[in-house]
Amino acid sequence: MIGRLNHVAIAVPDLNQAIATYRDVLGARVEAPLDLVEHGVTVVFVRLPNTNVELLHPLGENSPLTRFLQRNPGGGMHHVCYEVPDIRAAIEQLRTHGLAVLDPEPKIGAHGQPVVFLHPKAMGGVLVELEQQASLDS
Ligand code: CO
């Protein structure tokens, strides 16, 4: 069921500094910041040859990242994202094995694809995002 590692998401307290580090020091291809208002985050995609890094920064009053950065003031790894071919089949498979997803319904994620999150308790202490892989014919 599980496919490619789509991205590793890193919460950063200083987005411009993180951009400069990945772009100017590490020489990565870094895209322009994207405000995802409904998710309460600003995201910056760092394109690597085999996967992506997403730099995350809080956006707005009720960002889910605010508390994370209070607990991790220097930033930290926020989640990993794996691709699945069919998000609803994946949710069903997880339910069969007693693993609940955090959202009752898939939401549209940063790449325009449906996503759900799994509780870190069930996943070795790491927040895991599942993203339906983009279909080849769209
Ligand atoms: Co993500």
Side-chain angles (χ1 to χ4, degrees):
M1 157 174 115
I2 199 172
R4 285 183 353 127
L5 174 67
N6 185 279
H7 59 270
V8 174
I10 301 173
V12 297
D14 184 335
L15 196 52
N16 288 327
Q17 187 188 54
I19 289 169
T21 300
Y22 275 90
R23 186 188 56 207
D24 304 334
V25 180
L26 297 175
R29 188 156 68 85
V30 177
E31 298 193 353
L34 204 61
D35 289 341
L36 301 178
V37 176
E38 68 278 21
H39 291 273
V41 297
T42 299
V43 57
V44 172
F45 297 130
V46 179
R47 302 296 184 190
L48 304 182
N50 64 337
T51 190
N52 306 294
V53 171
E54 285 184 12
L55 304 174
L56 299 177
H57 191 73
L59 175 68
E61 302 276 300
N62 298 310
S63 172
L65 279 183
T66 303
R67 208 162 68 94
F68 183 90
L69 283 175
Q70 280 165 358
R71 286 184 315 225
N72 306 275
M77 202 193 76
H78 188 262
H79 64 270
V80 297
C81 175
Y82 304 122
E83 294 181 2
V84 294
D86 180 335
I87 196 89
R88 293 197 180 274
I91 293 169
E92 210 37 57
Q93 166 89 348
L94 290 159
R95 284 209 180 110
T96 304
H97 293 270
L99 296 187
V101 299
L102 292 177
D103 325 85
E105 279 293 309
K107 288 183 185 162
I108 297 302
H111 311 102
Q113 292 295 116
V115 303
V116 290
F117 284 89
L118 304 181
H119 199 286
K121 255 193 274 184
M123 300 302 295
V126 174
L127 181 63
V128 170
E129 178 180 23
L130 298 180
E131 176 177 302
Q132 182 163 286
Q133 68 198 39
S135 72
L136 298 173
D137 52 12
S138 67

